[in-house]
Amino acid sequence: MDVLDDSSYQCSDTNKTLEIDEACFNIVNLYNATVRFYSVAWEAYWGNGKLQAVLEPRSTTGVIISTKHPLHIYYQVKEPGSNYLDYCHETYNFEEHGSYGWNISAEHLCSHIYVIREPTKNYLPIIAAIMIYILVALVWSISKVIIRVIKGKLSPNNPLNISDLERLQESESVTFPTIRTTKSSTRIHSVDTFRGIAVLLMIFVNNGGGEYVWFNHSAWFGLTIADLVLPWFAWIMGLTIAISKRAELRITTSRIKIALRCLVRSLILILFGLMLNSIRNGRVKSLGDLRFPGVLQLLAITYFVCATLELIFMKPHSQDTLLQFGRFASFHDILDNWPQWLIVTGIVATHTLITFLLPVPNCPRGYFGPGGELDHRGKYMNCTAGAAGYIDRLIFGNHIYNKTSDAVYGTILPYDPEGLMNTISAIFIVYLGVHAGKILLLFYQHNYRIIRWVVWAMITGLIAGILCNFERQEGVIPISKKMMSLSFVLSTSSLAFLLFAFLYFLIDYRQFWTGAPFVYAGSNPIFLYVGHILTKSLFPWSWYISYRTHGTLLAMNLWTTMLWALVAYLLHRKDIIITV
């Protein structure tokens, strides 16, 4: 085997030309013929890839490739008297700024991929950030203890001295300190903490999340940290519906007035959502392509549906009806609300039947995939998002999310991740949150509440796993945030039940933690969400970075998140709660 001159390598001397999530792949072609090199993200491989380079005979070609996802690679050689044939299919997980080599020849076809230059450790900025936050938290906690010691608040054996006694005897009356009641002090801190985690995480990922793959939405199937944000926010919104509507029914008996307030709130949220959709790169869209669906629109509709259900069937007072159910007392929270469960189950069943039975032109029924030119060799080119995508394109036309170029799946049809079918699916997320609130209202022992939340986490997680066959994109209903599939709804709700149980144990039960700083953000979530969208490209929330790395982008995105956390804290100090 001839050894080719190393000077012909491209992009192997320095990583300065490599951007975020890029690596250099040097392919040594020892054929006496032209070779075509293909690659595609592993999850999008269904028999064909994208042509990345044409390799000249007996040459070395450096190809810059993406490291966001594991890649499936292969090459084609035209054999005499035949068409191009595929060789050496292999899946490899390239790492950022690494340089790799691959030798291909007629004698040995291909060697194993080898490392020429070690990749950078792109996760080090995350570890550094975590360590800094831990250090700051420790210093803050220790300083508070020291201040309390200095002030004598931690000394239980600090008797009154003579002058203190004399002053007490001389005073005509002893005035005890009053407890100041604020808007924030009357709230459930674990609820605000959960909501604060969701909204601050939303701000972080919406600003880029340091451009890390796991801080961005999944390509189509699977679950990332960013995929949890919206369902968690919807879930905790459902929990607050159960609490707030019960409180409102105690104050007034007019369910119509409460329903009208819910309608007005939903319309305001939809208006805010349309206003945010009208902003694109600092310019206002034309009305002809204004996107109608959106995050706030989804929250508004699901809120109104679930709040209306509660207003119709909820009892105005919490009644201890455990005895009336006898041996079924353990299912008290379900049996006491069976009409709501019956309607929500009907909504889920209807959504599922539409997904699997609605005929979509030139597409298989029950299709959950992205379609596009790379999915199944382009066989489902016009099937993006199956029935959900078809309904959105039919009803909304151009008024949906219009991005048709996908980095993983190539060209796809327009679809909307917050479209009509996904909004209907999200109703189930919100109602599972409502049920978590019912557990909080109907059961009075902390341990029993926590146990029930954990049990619900196990049940929803198990059903989700069965539906997706415990795989990333397999099963009857694969996990997909883009489709808001039933397995996605159940898996994210399972994690929500689990996280809330943990927060409730730490904050409201054992009182090991106050929930700071997330508890402050949870008091004004809509204000923070709208505010961060409007200021997303403005200083001091963001600025231009000439040399983009995970570290520099992570620092800026964390700064943006902390700045909004500071705004939330200042609102808390002023006892300002901005509601819609």
Side-chain angles (χ1 to χ4, degrees):
M1 181 182 296
D2 296 335
V3 178
L4 302 183
D5 184 10
D6 184 75
S7 63
S8 64
Y9 279 25
Q10 301 178 32
C11 68
S12 61
D13 296 331
T14 177
N15 61 11
K16 290 184 179 180
T17 58
L18 296 176
E19 300 293 334
I20 290 176
D21 295 321
E22 287 184 346
C24 184
F25 191 33
N26 298 285
I27 308 172
V28 182
N29 178 21
L30 296 175
Y31 281 93
N32 291 319
T34 301
V35 173
R36 298 193 297 197
F37 170 67
Y38 294 82
S39 72
V40 64
W42 172 81
E43 66 180 85
Y45 176 69
W46 291 96
N48 63 326
K50 295 179 68 175
L51 179 63
Q52 300 293 342
V54 177
L55 315 178
E56 295 298 326
R58 307 193 65 75
S59 66
T60 299
T61 304
V63 181
I64 295 178
I65 56 177
S66 173
T67 61
K68 282 183 176 292
H69 309 278
L71 287 184
H72 186 86
I73 60 175
Y74 64 96
Y75 66 89
Q76 290 181 343
V77 180
K78 185 173 176 28
E79 298 294 340
S82 66
N83 296 324
Y84 279 94
L85 300 178
D86 292 358
Y87 289 99
C88 209
H89 284 260
E90 186 168 350
T91 299
Y92 194 85
N93 189 15
F94 296 93
E95 297 183 44
E96 184 181 74
H97 292 177
S99 183
Y100 302 86
W102 199 36
N103 300 334
I104 58 176
S105 66
E107 293 80 12
H108 302 284
L109 294 183
C110 58
S111 65
H112 291 295
I113 296 173
Y114 51 90
V115 179
I116 299 173
R117 184 181 64 249
E118 291 294 332
T120 58
K121 306 300 182 184
N122 61 6
Y123 54 82
L124 291 179
I126 296 179
I127 296 176
I130 293 173
M131 296 301 295
I132 291 173
Y133 280 125
I134 292 175
L135 180 61
V136 169
L138 287 175
V139 170
W140 178 260
S141 300
I142 293 172
S143 63
K144 287 175 67 176
V145 173
I146 293 174
I147 292 173
R148 287 176 182 174
V149 171
I150 293 175
K151 290 183 177 180
K153 291 184 178 181
L154 295 182
S155 177
N157 300 316
N158 185 19
L160 295 172
N161 55 35
I162 299 299
S163 59
D164 291 330
L165 290 173
E166 290 175 350
R167 283 195 298 272
L168 286 174
Q169 291 173 355
E170 291 173 359
S171 62
E172 296 180 356
S173 63
V174 178
T175 304
F176 292 96
T178 59
I179 299 176
R180 179 172 174 261
T181 301
T182 64
K183 296 177 183 177
S184 300
S185 65
T186 59
R187 300 168 71 91
I188 303 175
H189 288 177
S190 57
V191 174
D192 280 340
T193 302
F194 187 104
R195 190 162 41 205
I197 291 173
V199 71
L200 290 180
L201 186 59
M202 183 181 294
I203 292 172
F204 176 65
V205 301
N206 282 355
N207 280 276
E211 295 298 325
Y212 286 101
V213 174
W214 48 86
F215 289 141
N216 282 271
H217 292 296
S218 54
W220 196 273
F221 298 106
L223 198 62
T224 65
I225 294 175
D227 292 332
L228 299 173
V229 174
L230 179 57
W232 279 4
F233 199 92
W235 187 92
I236 199 64
M237 180 180 70
L239 189 147
T240 59
I241 287 174
I243 299 173
S244 62
K245 298 313 158 195
R246 175 65 60 84
E248 290 180 47
L249 283 174
R250 286 175 175 174
I251 297 173
T252 178
T253 58
S254 177
R255 298 177 187 246
I256 295 178
K257 289 183 179 179
I258 300 175
L260 288 175
R261 285 201 296 267
C262 292
L263 178 61
V264 170
R265 184 171 190 258
S266 298
L267 292 176
I268 293 174
L269 286 175
I270 290 174
L271 177 60
F272 282 167
L274 291 174
M275 290 169 62
L276 296 181
N277 284 353
S278 69
I279 302 173
R280 181 199 290 169
N281 298 327
R283 296 178 298 172
V284 178
K285 294 182 180 181
S286 66
L287 293 178
D289 62 353
L290 175 64
R291 181 190 176 201
F292 288 167
V295 171
L296 291 182
Q297 293 90 315
L298 180 145
L299 294 175
I301 294 172
T302 55
Y303 166 82
F304 181 73
V305 171
C306 291
T308 303
L309 281 177
E310 286 303 292
L311 285 173
I312 294 173
F313 298 106
M314 177 182 276
K315 299 174 183 178
H317 300 285
S318 178
Q319 299 175 357
D320 187 8
T321 55
L322 282 171
L323 295 178
Q324 82 178 69
F325 295 111
R327 68 178 65 181
F328 299 106
S330 297
F331 303 98
H332 171 220
D333 50 335
I334 298 176
L335 297 176
D336 201 44
N337 303 280
W338 67 266
Q340 295 98 308
W341 271 108
L342 186 62
I343 294 173
V344 170
T345 302
I347 292 173
V348 174
T350 301
H351 179 275
T352 304
L353 290 174
I354 292 174
T355 301
F356 281 97
L357 300 181
L358 181 70
V360 179
N362 303 317
C363 297
R365 296 188 181 185
Y367 181 74
F368 284 89
E373 58 185 341
L374 297 179
D375 187 25
H376 290 81
R377 298 182 182 270
K379 181 180 179 181
Y380 305 128
M381 187 71 184
N382 298 320
C383 303
T384 300
Y390 176 71
I391 290 173
D392 285 342
R393 291 187 291 271
L394 190 64
I395 294 176
F396 297 117
N398 291 329
H399 300 284
I400 59 174
Y401 191 71
N402 284 316
K403 184 177 179 180
T404 57
S405 178
D406 189 90
V408 174
Y409 295 99
T411 303
I412 61 176
L413 291 182
Y415 75 94
D416 204 299
E418 285 82 44
L420 180 61
M421 286 288 284
N422 288 9
T423 300
I424 294 174
S425 183
I427 292 174
F428 192 29
I429 300 178
V430 177
Y431 192 75
L432 286 171
V434 171
H435 187 72
K438 294 292 184 63
I439 293 173
L440 190 64
L441 292 172
L442 296 176
F443 301 99
Y444 304 109
Q445 294 183 352
H446 295 297
N447 287 338
Y448 204 67
R449 290 171 174 172
I450 293 171
I451 290 172
R452 295 193 73 83
W453 289 325
V454 172
V455 169
W456 272 95
M458 295 171 60
I459 292 173
T460 52
L462 180 62
I463 296 174
I466 293 172
L467 290 175
C468 69
N469 201 26
F470 294 95
E471 297 286 346
R472 185 177 185 179
Q473 57 185 76
E474 302 293 336
V476 179
I477 303 179
I479 293 180
S480 174
K481 191 269 178 187
K482 308 287 188 183
M483 294 282 294
M484 204 72 75
S485 62
L486 183 57
S487 57
F488 173 81
V489 168
L490 291 170
S491 59
T492 54
S493 297
S494 171
L495 294 173
F497 274 112
L498 203 59
L499 176 61
F500 185 74
F502 179 69
L503 294 176
Y504 183 83
F505 175 82
L506 289 181
I507 299 171
D508 293 315
Y509 181 18
R510 293 297 186 181
Q511 298 183 357
F512 292 147
W513 179 35
T514 62
F518 303 105
V519 68
Y520 311 131
S523 300
N524 289 286
I526 299 298
F527 173 79
L528 296 185
Y529 175 77
V530 173
H532 102 273
I533 295 292
L534 295 176
T535 61
K536 196 174 181 180
S537 59
L538 302 178
F539 183 83
W541 285 274
S542 68
W543 53 88
Y544 174 74
I545 297 177
S546 56
Y547 181 54
R548 291 160 52 89
T549 65
H550 283 299
T552 56
L553 291 173
L554 180 68
M556 183 175 69
N557 298 152
L558 287 175
W559 163 257
T560 303
T561 307
M562 289 188 296
L563 203 57
W564 280 111
L566 177 61
V567 171
Y569 174 71
L570 294 177
L571 292 174
H572 167 79
R573 286 292 301 269
K574 297 294 184 180
D575 198 28
I576 298 174
I577 297 178
I578 302 172
T579 59
V580 176

